């Protein structure tokens, strides 16, 4: 009996996941990355209109110190988002993409728990640390999954689609959280949070990353080839093996000419002898690229403007117009709505050439 159970467990462990083709398709991976970005944007955006009120009512902060704590909480989020992104990227390159992706969900859950039960602004600060680390994992591992799953010519449109999930979360969360906080109270906001996280758990658990799926498919093709070779040796099959290799979808494609969409790093860079030798030349190559520096500067400018708005606008409308959290949430609709032009805009930029448009 024990041997049969062990055999069943071994067969299950070594068998490919069910519905592998669907779970590893680019649409499944894209929707999963979209959902992860939505969760990140939703959790971040829901806190923004609530904090000016909850800091006073829940955490006991005086009205004069609210602006200081708002700015500090936002600064900590951005700091650990920046610190965590290179680490998450390194981990995603050295192992499974989905492992840090799921770990980011654990960090998001921990941050939500701290925000829910924090009666001190210092606990809110720790929650912001976890939230920043979670966001760094979502962006780096999520985009790595997209890069593995789609063709180079489609990356721009898919990146626009994925980031629109973050914008969708930022669009609805301040409005929804402000109304829920006004009419149902502080803890009701976090019931919505946990519901969003639960849906994200299901979506991320269903997905199978493309690299892992390719390994399963490669094993199945190898087993099939071994069977054909054995049959050929027995004289039952006469196939031209060279034509099979030439027609295989796993044959190495010819190298495309270098242009603005060609990779900055090549696969031979990962064969250095030590991790130090792999890490620092990689960072040096990336830091010397005008394309990357331009993208970093654009992201820096965008994030800096949003950070200024997030730290000032809710408190401003509260003090100037005496708006409640509902009004503080509605005002953010004017900022996030135009971002839904992102997929079509990026598709146009890709068609015309990213370098010339920038």
């Amino acid at each position: 009996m024990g041997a049969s159970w062990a055999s069943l467990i071994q067969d299950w462990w070594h068998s490919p996941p069910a519905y592998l083709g669907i779970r590893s398709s680019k649409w499944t991976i894209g929707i999963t990355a979209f959902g992860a970005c939505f969760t990140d944007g939703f959790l971040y955006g829901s806190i923004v209109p609530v904090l000016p009120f909850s800091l006073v009512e829940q955490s006991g902060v005086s009205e004069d110190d609210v602006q200081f704590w708002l700015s500090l909480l936002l600064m900590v989020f951005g700091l650990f988002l920046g610190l965590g992104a290179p680490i998450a990227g390194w981990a995603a390159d050295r192992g499974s993409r989905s492992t840090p992706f799921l770990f980011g969900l654990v960090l998001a859950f921990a941050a939500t728990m701290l925000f829910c039960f924090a009666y001190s602004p210092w606990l809110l600060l720790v929650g912001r640390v976890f939230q920043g680390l979670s966001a760094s994992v979502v962006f780096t591992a999520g985009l790595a999954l997209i890069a593995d799953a789609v063709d180079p010519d489609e990356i721009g449109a898919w990146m626009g689609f994925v980031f629109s999930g973050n914008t969708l979360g930022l669009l609805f969360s301040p409005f929804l959280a402000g109304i829920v906080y006004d009419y149902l109270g502080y803890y009701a906001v976090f019931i919505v949070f946990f519901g969003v996280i639960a849906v994200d758990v299901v979506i991320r658990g269903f997905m199978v990353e493309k690299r892992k799926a390719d390994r399963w498919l490669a094993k199945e093709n190898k087993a099939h080839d071994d069977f054909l070779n054995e049959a050929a040796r027995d004289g039952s099959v006469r196939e031209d093996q060279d034509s099979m290799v030439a027609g295989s979808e796993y044959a190495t494609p010819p190298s495309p000419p270098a242009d603005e969409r060609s990779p900055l790093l090549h696969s031979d860079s990962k064969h250095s002898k030590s991790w130090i030798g792999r890490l620092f030349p990689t960072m040096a190559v990336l830091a010397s690229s005008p394309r990357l520096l331009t993208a970093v500067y654009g992201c820096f400018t965008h994030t800096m403007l949003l950070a200024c708005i997030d730290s000032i606008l809710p408190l401003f409308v509260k003090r100037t117009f005496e708006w409640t959290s509902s009004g503080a949430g509605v005002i953010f609709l004017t900022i996030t709505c135009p971002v839904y032009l992102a997929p079509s805009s990026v598709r146009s930029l890709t068609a015309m050439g990213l370098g010339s448009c920038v």
Side-chain angles (χ1 to χ4, degrees):
M1 184 70 177
S4 62
W5 276 107
S7 177
L8 287 174
I9 293 174
Q10 186 176 11
D11 291 342
W12 173 81
W13 183 261
H14 292 287
S15 61
Y19 309 107
L20 181 62
I22 297 175
R23 295 171 64 180
S24 63
S25 67
K26 65 180 181 181
W27 278 103
T28 300
I29 294 174
I31 291 172
T32 303
F34 175 92
C37 286
F38 172 83
T39 301
D40 176 73
F42 189 91
L43 298 181
Y44 172 84
S46 298
I47 295 296
V48 171
V50 172
L51 274 179
F53 304 90
S54 65
L55 279 171
V56 177
E57 299 170 7
Q58 296 290 128
S59 303
V61 175
S62 65
E63 193 69 38
D64 295 335
D65 294 333
V66 170
Q67 183 64 74
F68 167 76
W69 281 105
L70 284 175
S71 302
L72 183 61
L73 289 168
L74 194 61
M75 183 198 72
V76 168
F77 174 84
L79 175 64
F80 281 88
L81 172 60
L83 293 176
I87 299 173
W90 180 85
D93 284 340
R94 296 305 180 272
S96 171
R97 310 276 202 212
S98 56
T99 300
F101 206 47
L102 292 172
F103 181 67
L105 198 57
V106 174
L107 290 172
F109 179 79
T112 304
M113 290 291 290
L114 284 170
F115 273 113
C116 182
F117 298 106
Y119 286 95
S120 166
W122 295 104
L123 287 178
L124 293 176
L125 209 62
V126 178
R128 274 297 198 190
V129 170
F130 287 166
Q131 199 174 46
L133 292 174
S134 172
S136 68
V137 172
V138 165
F139 289 127
T140 52
L143 292 181
L145 287 168
I146 289 295
D148 290 339
V150 305
D151 296 330
D153 291 338
E154 298 178 325
I155 286 181
W158 277 100
M159 285 179 63
F161 171 72
V162 168
F163 279 118
S164 67
N166 186 262
T167 307
L168 183 64
L170 291 172
L171 173 64
F172 288 107
S173 58
F175 172 69
L176 179 62
I179 292 177
V180 171
Y181 182 81
D182 261 355
Y183 292 98
L184 299 177
Y186 183 74
Y187 293 106
V189 175
F190 294 94
I191 294 176
V192 180
F193 282 13
F194 290 126
V196 172
I197 292 175
V199 174
D200 200 7
V201 168
V202 175
I203 296 175
R204 293 196 205 189
F206 180 77
M207 183 206 70
V208 176
E209 63 176 292
K210 185 65 175 176
R211 295 194 305 179
K212 187 179 294 184
D214 288 343
R215 286 197 293 269
W216 282 113
L217 294 174
K219 288 181 182 179
E220 291 180 354
N221 279 273
K222 183 178 181 303
H224 180 67
D225 291 343
D226 291 343
F227 171 77
L228 292 179
N229 290 334
E230 184 67 26
R233 281 194 295 270
D234 294 339
S236 59
V237 176
R238 306 295 182 184
E239 298 258 355
D240 186 0
Q241 298 296 330
D242 293 334
S243 64
M244 291 176 59
V245 173
S248 175
E249 61 177 328
Y250 297 99
T252 303
S255 299
D259 61 3
E260 64 201 20
R261 289 175 291 180
S262 60
L264 297 175
L265 302 175
H266 301 284
S267 59
D268 57 357
S269 64
K270 56 177 74 172
H271 296 297
S272 298
K273 294 182 179 180
S274 67
W275 69 271
I276 298 178
R278 291 195 301 266
L279 179 60
F280 286 99
T282 298
M283 299 302 293
V285 170
L286 293 175
S288 63
S289 168
R291 285 187 286 156
L292 183 71
L293 294 178
T294 302
V296 168
Y297 178 74
C299 292
F300 171 79
T301 304
H302 171 74
T303 306
M304 183 178 65
L305 293 174
L306 285 182
C308 294
I309 292 171
D310 290 345
S311 62
I312 296 173
L313 187 58
L315 190 60
F316 174 79
V317 298
K318 175 188 176 184
R319 291 177 175 176
T320 305
F321 306 114
E322 298 183 354
W323 286 5
T324 63
S325 59
S326 299
V330 170
I331 197 70
F332 281 93
L333 293 176
T334 60
I335 301 171
T336 52
C337 283
V339 186
Y340 278 91
L341 297 173
S344 58
S345 300
V346 174
R347 190 178 294 110
S348 301
L349 290 174
T350 304
M352 291 185 288
L354 291 172
S356 60
C357 290
V358 171

